[in-house]
Amino acid sequence: MKLKKVKLSAVLLLVSSIILLAGCSNKESAEAAAGKEGLKKLVIAEPLHYTGYLPLYVAQREGYFAEEGLEVEMLQATGGTHVTSVVSGDAWGVIGGPESNALANTGNSDPIISVSNVVNRANVYLMAKKGTAPAGSSDEELKAFLQDKKINAGRHGGTPNLLTQYLLLELGLDPQKDVRLLEPADGSTVVAMVQQGAADIANGAEPQISDGMDKGVWDEPFYKFHDMGDYAYSVLSVKKSTLEKDPETVQKAVNAVVKALKAIQEDKTMAMKVLKAEFPTLSDTAAQAALDRAYEDQLWSPDGIISEEALDKDMNVMIKTGIYKGEYTYDGLVDMQFVKKSAEK
């Protein structure tokens, strides 16, 4: 009888412990849920998942957005819909080129305005099928090499496409006659098209460069557009009405992005951790190569500032290729007040 009482007491103690632990767990879950529910949810559209956008992923995963009271979801919107998703209201903001905003702003009563720089280099590279790259990099050698080639230039109207056409024009080649431009809307086909022989040359960025090298599709890029220097390639933008009606949220988002830009320069170990989390299929070698390239080419803006020079280079490519025929002003496309306030913190 005494033994039964001991066993019963043990059982009761075990049940009580389970209930207590469950209660604590439920409480912790409820508190976590309540905390998450207290964050303002924002959607930022991206044209493709690129290592170039790593500062935004850092702001997400390292809690910089959360520190500002924001919960940010990245929405992949291919085929140029990253910009139209903001116009339609499906996304709060967009990461992409200000030239795409300029196109979308034509006839738009609520224009899209860039509020922070992210990628301050022309993050586009040209790769040739393995073993076929030109022997030299002079204008004459590049022109002879590119003549009559099938070039996967990416989506028509997208910055990689326009930069490719810009280079051809600078070399004295007609993009419509002297080469065969392939313009798939889906940027993820870059490696496959060269691998399958559908294209001789492709433009792209990381992680596509390292992916193609890993698969033996191409060697190191034979041409790098980042040599153009400061270039407003990918910036954070929102609608003008958002700036006017909810400047507080815009400031919080910019604070988080600027903090991430600084952190990524100072902590390469953290940058690699986030890179691997965002691109888990990349091999360790490819991931390291992608990160090394970003630092070597000074890919990211150090402070979020979009300079007039950087914007002008972007827009001049648009104008030279003929896709943009209107006029533009720096103040009509860029608003740096939030970056400047962030710097004062």
Side-chain angles (χ1 to χ4, degrees):
M1 186 69 178
K2 186 176 181 180
L3 182 61
K4 287 182 180 180
K5 286 182 179 179
V6 171
K7 286 183 178 180
L8 180 60
S9 297
V11 170
L12 290 174
L13 179 61
L14 178 61
V15 171
S16 298
S17 299
I18 292 172
I19 292 172
L20 180 61
L21 289 172
C24 291
S25 177
N26 289 338
K27 182 181 179 182
E28 290 170 0
S29 299
E31 288 176 349
K36 197 168 185 180
E37 287 174 2
L39 300 179
K40 184 169 186 175
K41 297 182 180 180
L42 304 178
V43 175
I44 297 177
E46 58 179 1
L48 196 65
H49 207 51
Y50 267 140
T51 56
Y53 302 152
L54 192 61
L56 287 184
Y57 310 146
V58 165
Q60 275 184 304
R61 290 183 176 272
E62 293 301 298
Y64 300 152
F65 281 127
E67 288 173 6
E68 296 288 340
L70 305 175
E71 180 186 350
V72 171
E73 174 191 349
M74 298 301 294
L75 170 68
Q76 290 187 52
T78 60
T81 59
H82 59 300
V83 178
T84 57
S85 64
V86 178
V87 176
S88 66
D90 291 330
W92 175 85
V94 59
I95 177 75
E99 83 290 339
S100 295
N101 299 342
L103 287 172
N105 289 348
T106 303
N108 181 9
S109 60
D110 191 4
I112 302 172
I113 308 296
S114 302
V115 294
S116 176
N117 205 340
V118 179
V119 180
N120 194 41
R121 290 288 186 274
N123 188 29
V124 180
Y125 303 76
L126 292 181
M127 290 76 67
K129 187 174 181 180
K130 192 173 180 66
T132 68
S137 58
S138 69
D139 287 355
E140 293 77 14
E141 288 168 312
L142 284 173
K143 181 177 181 179
F145 175 71
L146 292 169
Q147 179 85 42
D148 299 323
K149 291 293 194 300
K150 295 180 291 185
I151 305 175
N152 182 345
R155 175 180 62 84
H156 180 74
T159 308
N161 183 300
L162 296 175
L163 281 166
T164 303
Q165 292 195 50
Y166 178 82
L167 173 63
L168 293 170
L169 291 167
E170 289 286 288
L171 293 173
L173 293 171
D174 187 331
Q176 308 308 320
K177 297 178 181 178
D178 295 328
V179 301
R180 182 181 171 193
L181 281 186
L182 308 173
E183 302 177 313
D186 186 357
S188 66
T189 64
V190 170
V191 177
M193 287 184 70
V194 177
Q195 189 174 35
Q196 295 166 8
D200 305 310
I201 298 168
N203 72 31
E206 294 291 0
Q208 297 163 328
I209 298 172
S210 295
D211 185 31
M213 291 175 67
D214 259 8
K215 294 175 179 175
V217 177
W218 50 56
D219 298 306
E220 274 287 328
F222 68 87
Y223 191 86
K224 303 178 180 183
F225 287 93
H226 83 276
D227 289 339
M228 295 175 74
D230 287 359
Y231 188 104
Y233 185 77
S234 294
V235 299
L236 178 64
S237 306
V238 299
K239 289 192 289 189
K240 185 177 181 180
S241 60
T242 302
L243 300 181
E244 295 171 344
K245 297 176 182 178
D246 192 8
E248 183 179 354
T249 297
V250 178
Q251 186 66 64
K252 290 178 177 180
V254 170
N255 289 345
V257 171
V258 170
K259 185 174 182 179
L261 286 169
K262 292 177 180 178
I264 209 169
Q265 299 292 343
E266 298 169 356
D267 193 344
K268 294 183 179 181
T269 301
M270 176 275 294
M272 176 58 76
K273 179 188 71 173
V274 175
L275 179 69
K276 289 293 291 180
E278 287 290 328
F279 302 91
T281 60
L282 275 184
S283 67
D284 290 343
T285 301
Q288 188 63 59
L291 202 58
D292 289 345
R293 191 185 308 281
Y295 286 116
E296 181 181 347
D297 294 348
Q298 299 177 8
L299 187 64
W300 297 302
S301 165
D303 52 16
I305 290 291
I306 303 171
S307 69
E308 292 192 43
E309 176 191 3
L311 177 68
D312 286 343
K313 286 179 184 175
D314 191 347
M315 294 303 296
N316 287 341
V317 169
M318 290 265 289
I319 293 168
K320 187 175 181 67
T321 54
I323 197 168
Y324 187 80
K325 301 181 185 300
E327 296 181 352
Y328 76 94
T329 63
Y330 178 81
D331 292 337
L333 290 173
V334 174
D335 188 338
M336 287 287 91
Q337 64 169 306
F338 302 99
V339 169
K340 291 176 181 177
K341 288 179 182 176
S342 182
E344 295 170 358
K345 291 184 65 177

